[in-house]
């Protein structure tokens, strides 16, 4: 982390440390954070989530992991293994029921498959305009009606039993002239079976889904309650345990080795909260100190402006948002400032960022950070990451009485600041990002009551919603079986690839937190909070830059002009009419674009 008391990134007398290293894993926390609990719940409720977490975190031992913000990745992976086992058993049961239906009443089952496909197609486009849905969903339902009406009563098992009846093999040829005349009692007796079996299979399918949900809810409530001590299941083998031991040490490092997205895990850009600018470094004569009659050599602004010192000044100004001198209700909640170094995932053998075991280091030393900031051409990019988790604060009266408890908006707001001095110019970059809240369906531990009756009702309701998805059970079961059978081979293949190739991609590809998040903010206040706090941070960054430049006698008129333009052209009120427009308030105010 940048040290605000030193300008060279190292402290006098400090023991020498490597420029890049992998830290010792910390002790697991006694209880899970709220985000950890919801991500663990997601593993039990979503087939694809558990498999993807295992594939990305464990399936490639050489790959880096994205930074974990407010959660611990270790228990999420452990519970993903247990959840995958439960889901695999459920999918096998559902596959068996589907096979019984296809053998006994294939066309009734086929009609159900077509109906389910239509329902799944419609759910995919839920909320979208009707003209975007296409005719495919309707075609599924029409085909289901045709199949059921024309061939729904047909059962090869029924005809087989009828053909084996003794009356059909009568050698006299009297009663057996009609192949089915002697089988009428068998057919009459079997009609009940013909009507009851599809219903029984449907009930069995719902029961399998409901039982699995009940077991998942019980596990979630027992293991992920708000006041329950954190615990995690055992892992399948020691090799996976060693991988997770390494992950625990790297998940909160200051180096992000990425495959495609250098800001992986931060969400998406917020409106017009991002900007860049390049400024000429020119001396402002009005800022120069008065001199006596003896001429003194002056230091060039190109030599005096240090991007490392600029970041130190920005850090101090951002921390002022939480200054203890401010009244408690005026302090910005949850402000954190951290170093964020991004590196491309494709690294060559012997790269300083790689361990001897060919895994990416996750921490850069203060000395390395200072050098990276001052040498922006080196292939590593430094950002100062300012994170605001909108935990909220309680509303109290002047005498301390509680009006409203703290409300958590469940979003993570991040500002990434990059500063470089090159070619006699200052380059500044500000990126505003927001990570949306966790999907509502994963809030089970906080939403569900512990009453068995209520859990049963919730399980049945979930089973009804998931019923169409049962037609994909064979595919889910096959994918889980393939992942279980090939995990060790895929880990071996990834290690061999890194050893056999001079250049290998070690970059993280997904963020587990983003994988379980909504695509966009779900509440308007979440968007407004993001805009508000990013504006506060942007103001602090701008003031720090101006003050620093003026202290070093740099002409800031160009910077002020550009910041005025940015602020006047970045007003976004998405539910009103002010979009990318200047806004003026007051009787003597004016605004222009």
């Amino acid at each position: 982390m940048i040290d605000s008391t030193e300008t060279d990134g190292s402290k006098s007398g400090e023991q020498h440390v490597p420029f890049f290293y992998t830290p010792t894993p910390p002790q697991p926390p006694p209880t899970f954070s709220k985000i950890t609990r919801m991500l663990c719940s997601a593993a039990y409720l979503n087939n694809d989530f558990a498999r993807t977490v295992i594939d990305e975190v464990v399936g490639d031992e050489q790959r880096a992991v994205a930074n974990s913000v407010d959660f611990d990745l270790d228990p999420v992976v452990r519970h993903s293994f247990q959840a995958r086992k439960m889901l695999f058993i459920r999918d096998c049961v559902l596959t068996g029921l589907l096979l019984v239906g296809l053998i006994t009443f294939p066309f009734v089952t086929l009609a159900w498959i077509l109906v389910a496909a239509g329902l799944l197609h419609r759910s995919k486009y839920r909320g979208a305009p009707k003209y975007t849905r296409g005719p495919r969903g309707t075609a599924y339902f029409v085909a289901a009606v045709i199949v059921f009406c024309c061939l729904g009563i047909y059962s090869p098992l029924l005809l087989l039993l009828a053909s084996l009846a003794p009356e059909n093999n009568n050698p006299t040829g009297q009663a057996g002239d009609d192949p089915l005349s002697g089988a009428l009692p068998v057919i009459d007796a079997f009609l009940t079976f013909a009507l009851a079996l599809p219903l029984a299979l449907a009930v069995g399918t719902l029961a399998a889904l409901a039982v699995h949900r009940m077991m998942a809810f019980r596990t979630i409530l027992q293991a992920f309650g708000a006041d329950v001590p954190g615990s995690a299941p055992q892992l399948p083998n020691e090799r996976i345990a060693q991988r997770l031991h390494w992950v625990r040490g790297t998940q909160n490092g200051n180096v992000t080795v990425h495959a495609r997205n250098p800001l992986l895990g931060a969400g998406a850009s917020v409106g017009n909260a991002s900007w860049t600018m390049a400024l000429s470094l020119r001396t402002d004569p009005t800022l120069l100190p008065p001199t006596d009659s003896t001429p003194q050599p002056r230091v060039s602004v190109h030599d005096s402006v240090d991007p490392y010192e600029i970041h130190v000044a920005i850090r101090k100004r951002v921390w002022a948002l939480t200054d203890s001198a401010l009244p408690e209700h005026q302090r910005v909640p949850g402000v954190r400032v951290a170093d964020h170094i991004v590196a491309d995932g494709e690294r060559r053998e012997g790269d300083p960022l790689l361990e001897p075991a060919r895994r990416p280091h996750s921490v850069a030393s203060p000395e390395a950070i200072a050098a990276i900031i001052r040498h922006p051409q080196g292939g590593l990019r430094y950002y100062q990451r300012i994170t605001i988790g909108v935990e909220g604060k309680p509303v109290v009266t002047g005498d301390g009485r509680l009006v409203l408890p703290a409300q958590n908006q469940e979003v993570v707001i991040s500002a990434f600041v990059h500063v470089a001095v090159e070619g006699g110019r200052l380059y500044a970059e500000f990126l505003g990002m927001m990570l949306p809240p966790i999907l509502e369906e994963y809030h089970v531990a906080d939403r569900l009551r512990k009453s068995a009756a209520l859990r049963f009702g919730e399980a049945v309701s979930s089973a009804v919603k998931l019923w169409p998805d049962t037609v994909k059970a064979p595919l889910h079961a096959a994918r889980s079986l393939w992942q279980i059978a090939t995990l060790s081979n895929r880990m071996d293949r990834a290690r061999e690839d890194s050893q056999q190739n001079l250049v290998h991609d070690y970059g993280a590809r997904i963020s587990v937190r983003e994988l379980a998040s909504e695509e966009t903010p779900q509440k308007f206040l979440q968007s407004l909070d993001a805009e508000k706090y990013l504006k506060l941070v942007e103001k602090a960054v701008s003031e720090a830059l101006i003050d620093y430049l003026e202290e070093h006698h740099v002409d800031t008129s160009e910077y002020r002009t550009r910041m005025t333009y940015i602020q006047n052209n970045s007003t976004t009120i998405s539910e009103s009419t002010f979009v990318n427009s200047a806004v003026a308030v007051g009787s003597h105010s004016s605004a222009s674009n």
Side-chain angles (χ1 to χ4, degrees), residues 3 39 48 54 95 163 204 221 247 270 276 294 334 363 382 413 434 534 558 571:
D3 187 348
L39 293 179
D48 293 330
I54 294 172
T95 301
S163 65
L221 291 177
V247 167
V270 177
T276 62
T294 305
V363 176
Y382 175 85
I413 302 165
M434 181 177 66
L534 285 173
E558 182 183 4
T571 303

Side-chain angles (χ1 to χ4, degrees), residues 99 121 226 238 252 278 283 409 431 549:
L99 288 175
H121 180 80
E238 182 60 27
N252 293 312
T283 301
Q409 293 291 344
L431 304 175
L549 293 175

